Every structure is written in C-alpha cells, then in structure tokens.
Amino acid sequence: MRQHDILGGVGDIDHLVAQKRVDRIVVGLSDRRGRLPIEQLLRAKLSASVSRNATTTYERLTGKILIDDLKPSWLIFSDGFRASRWTRFVKRMLDLSLRSSASSSRRR
C-alpha cells in the first residue's frame, strides 16, 4: 500500500486549500458526531473545493458498495435505485428488440 505524507491537521485546511490549490477534499471519519470540521469545510467549499465523503469516493472510484460502512438509511434515501427517463427508454427499446428477434427466430 502506498504511504502518504500528512500535510497537516484540521486547523490547517484553510492554509492547505490555498497553498496547494486543492480542488477536492475527501473526508473519512469513523464517527462524525462533534468532530467534523464544519467551518473549514464550508470555507473550502466556498473557495471552489469539493468535499466528498470517503465512502462515496470509494464507491465512485471502484464501482463497488463499501459494505462495512453501509447504513439502512442510505438504502432508503439514496437515488441509486432510480433510473433516468433515458435509461428506462433504452431498456424498453432493448427489451422490445430482443423480444421481436426471439419471436422471429422461433417462427423459422
């Protein structure tokens, strides 16, 4: 596994965002209650940095769900099960074309 240098702590977020021209911050805390650096992350967001949850970042990069951090509320409130209008249209066209080709091959 690759080792990374620690550039600073929570109090250094503002300085690091400006100095390193950070465009993305990935936040990974095991327990966020009372420890999330809200003020620093809001200032970073206002300076065009995007803050992401570590779990969401992992899932986007790998295409896999991190089961260890899965919460039932994620399944309830997530848009992950919603298909766009375009996706439903393409699926319907594919279903119809496969059905027509399967029925025409049976007739032969």
Side-chain angles (χ1 to χ4, degrees), residues 10 27-33 35-37 41 53-55 69:
V10 172
V27 179
L29 299 172
S30 59
D31 181 18
R32 288 185 221 152
R33 286 175 268 167
R35 293 186 7 198
L36 190 64
L41 292 173
N53 179 306
T55 302
D69 203 30

Side-chain angles (χ1 to χ4, degrees), residues 1-77:
M1 177 176 258
R2 184 175 169 201
Q3 296 294 320
H4 297 283
D5 295 333
I6 296 174
L7 300 175
V10 172
D12 302 317
I13 291 175
D14 296 328
H15 173 72
L16 291 170
V17 166
Q19 181 187 35
K20 303 287 186 184
R21 290 185 242 139
V22 173
D23 64 348
R24 183 169 301 128
I25 298 172
V26 177
V27 179
L29 299 172
S30 59
D31 181 18
R32 288 185 221 152
R33 286 175 268 167
R35 293 186 7 198
L36 190 64
I38 299 292
E39 290 180 26
Q40 291 90 340
L41 292 173
L42 285 173
R43 280 194 296 271
K45 187 166 187 146
L46 291 172
S47 70
S49 294
V50 177
S51 296
R52 297 264 187 239
N53 179 306
T55 302
T56 303
T57 302
Y58 171 85
E59 291 170 356
R60 286 183 186 213
L61 290 173
T62 64
K64 299 175 184 177
I65 295 175
L66 189 60
I67 300 295
D68 297 342
D69 203 30
L70 184 64
K71 294 172 181 49
S73 61
W74 180 87
L75 296 171
I76 295 167
F77 298 114

Side-chain angles (χ1 to χ4, degrees), residues 91-107:
K91 182 185 179 311
R92 182 68 177 150
M93 291 299 111
L94 183 62
D95 290 346
L96 292 174
S97 64
L98 289 174
R99 182 179 177 187
S100 68
S101 66
S103 62
S104 67
S105 67
R106 279 191 226 146
R107 288 185 210 153

